[in-house]
Amino acid sequence: MKVLYIERSTGEGRNGDWAESLDLDGVERIVVGTGPGSFAGIRSALAFAQGYALGSKCEVLGLPSPCAVAAQVYADGADFPLAVVGDARRGKFWIALFEGLKLVCPVFQVEKDTLSFRIPLAAKVVTSDSERIGDVLSETFEERYIGGVKPTSDGLKAFAEATPSALVAEPLPIYLNPAVRD
């Protein structure tokens, strides 16, 4: 079965050029990163997948974008609990917790002052928003902060193949707050 993986939660390439390079010949399933992240990126990826599926009768499934980050971190053979943290804006953060390629706690939102209390002490911390919150995470978690990792389609694929039970039929975007313009 040919599967197409689309991860656009970082909002790069908002103009739609990314869709022109997709190999759609024989696609039977599309797996889309559902965020949290860029409103435009997530919506355009989901709209593309759902629109293509209407005409081709292929299946569309979703997977939270932090799963792609976790797969990329664990690809190096890492063996520790992981917290993927992102900027939820307005002084809030989102967190997803992993034990290997298992999402043990789906995405949830916290205030800045409770961030350090909501992540297990044994967990390493990574972010897909290092430009915005890398300094805060480095200061808060010191040596536990392992840096920034952007979610990729390859990361989405690795997680989906390792943990197919995490895939969601009829995916919806993960929105924690109303849309915000940069």
Side-chain angles (χ1 to χ4, degrees):
M1 172 186 297
K2 184 172 179 183
V3 181
L4 177 64
Y5 297 88
I6 304 174
E7 171 48 53
R8 308 298 309 161
S9 66
T10 60
E12 296 169 6
R14 288 183 176 186
N15 62 5
D17 288 348
W18 60 270
E20 293 175 7
S21 64
L22 297 176
D23 177 10
L24 299 170
D25 189 38
V27 169
E28 296 176 53
R29 175 183 288 167
I30 301 175
V31 176
V32 181
T34 58
S38 163
F39 180 88
I42 294 164
R43 284 304 308 151
S44 65
L46 279 167
F48 173 85
Q50 292 164 343
Y52 181 79
L54 283 174
S56 68
K57 306 278 191 247
C58 77
E59 178 181 32
V60 177
L61 300 171
L63 192 62
S65 298
C67 295
V69 172
Q72 291 163 234
V73 170
Y74 288 124
D76 296 333
D79 185 26
F80 46 75
L82 181 68
V84 179
V85 179
D87 183 5
R89 311 283 178 97
R90 298 180 180 99
K92 296 180 182 176
F93 296 84
W94 59 259
I95 302 169
L97 300 175
F98 297 86
E99 293 279 345
L101 294 180
K102 180 180 179 195
L103 178 62
V104 295
C105 185
V107 176
F108 63 97
Q109 188 171 230
V110 298
E111 301 285 338
K112 182 180 179 182
D113 59 348
T114 63
L115 177 63
S116 64
F117 303 114
R118 300 298 302 271
I119 295 175
L121 290 175
K124 300 284 187 182
V125 176
V126 67
T127 186
S128 57
D129 291 324
S130 60
E131 313 82 43
R132 286 195 283 240
I133 63 171
D135 290 343
V136 170
L137 296 177
S138 179
E139 181 181 309
T140 303
F141 296 102
E142 299 173 349
E143 70 280 347
R144 291 173 49 207
Y145 176 60
I146 59 175
V149 175
K150 296 281 187 191
T152 65
S153 296
D154 288 339
L156 208 63
K157 177 181 179 181
F159 198 95
E161 289 178 349
T163 317
S165 62
L167 293 166
V168 176
E170 299 182 29
L172 296 172
I174 299 172
Y175 296 138
L176 301 172
N177 295 306
V180 176
R181 293 186 181 261
D182 286 332

